[in-house]
């Protein structure tokens, strides 16, 4: 998945998402996220982000388990949202479009602040974000920390 600085800024602007969870989870969630294609269409009078989802996400939400490196989305004493990347060498906050997939995580329960860039395994509902005004393409909702 290719993302620009504009995409990162728009990541947290979306509130439109939701679907029913399917039971069959993909083995490699990062591969599913990398298959999402995004096309930004800007005209003089309009702005649209078209997203093409792989088959696994076209059917709706998926119950998944995913491992990556997490940083809090916002500073604070308690954390409710994280940004997850597959590899610490991939920095979604560095401004490079070549960082690979990243995933916004909405935790089911708040947690106390934790060591930034910590490797974690999470379980939750991977939901496609179809809002045509944001680059955000997926979110892991109702997530719990497994390890």
């Amino acid at each position: 998945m290719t993302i620009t600085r504009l995409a990162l800024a728009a990541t947290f602007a979306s509130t439109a998402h939701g679907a029913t969870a399917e039971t069959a989870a993909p083995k490699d969630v990062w591969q599913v996220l990398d298959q999402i294609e995004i096309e930004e269409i800007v005209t003089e009078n309009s702005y649209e982000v078209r997203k093409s989802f792989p088959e696994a996400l076209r059917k709706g939400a998926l119950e998944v388990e995913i491992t990556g490196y997490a940083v809090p989305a916002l500073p604070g004493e308690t954390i409710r949202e994280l940004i997850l990347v597959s590899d610490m060498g991939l920095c979604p906050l560095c401004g490079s479009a070549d960082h690979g997939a990243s995933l916004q995580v909405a935790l089911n329960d708040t947690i106390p602040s934790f060591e930034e860039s910590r490797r974690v395994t999470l379980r939750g509902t991977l939901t496609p974000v179809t809002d045509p005004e944001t680059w955000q393409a997926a979110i892991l909702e109702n997530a719990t920390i497994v390890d």
Side-chain angles (χ1 to χ4, degrees):
M1 175 167 58
T2 304
I3 297 181
T4 64
R5 287 183 192 189
L6 175 62
L8 187 60
T11 296
F12 299 104
S14 174
T15 58
H17 54 283
T20 57
E22 296 287 322
T23 54
K27 288 186 178 188
D28 185 352
V29 180
W30 289 113
Q31 183 180 32
V32 171
L33 294 172
D34 280 335
Q35 291 174 10
I36 297 170
E37 294 180 12
I38 297 174
E39 178 184 6
E40 181 180 37
I41 301 166
V42 180
T43 68
E44 190 174 307
N45 301 320
S46 68
Y47 177 82
E48 180 184 1
V49 179
R50 290 187 188 154
K51 302 165 197 167
S52 298
F53 296 97
E55 185 65 29
L57 276 175
R58 270 194 297 252
K59 295 178 181 178
L62 298 167
E63 293 300 321
V64 299
E65 192 168 289
I66 186 169
T67 300
Y69 295 87
V71 295
L74 300 169
E77 292 181 24
T78 58
I79 307 298
R80 174 69 117 204
E81 292 192 20
L82 304 169
I83 296 177
L84 194 70
V85 295
S86 62
D87 183 311
M88 280 309 297
L90 306 173
C91 176
L93 306 176
C94 298
S96 169
D98 298 326
H99 65 74
S102 61
L103 181 62
Q104 179 185 356
V105 177
L107 295 169
N108 197 31
D109 297 309
T110 58
I111 60 170
S113 185
F114 67 95
E115 180 183 335
E116 238 179 76
S117 304
R118 179 178 133 194
R119 188 168 195 266
V120 296
T121 299
L122 300 158
R123 186 176 296 130
T125 306
L126 184 66
T127 306
V129 177
T130 58
D131 181 348
E133 295 183 3
T134 180
W135 278 66
Q136 182 183 23
I139 183 171
L140 186 66
E141 300 179 296
N142 302 314
T144 57
I145 296 175
V146 176
D147 183 27

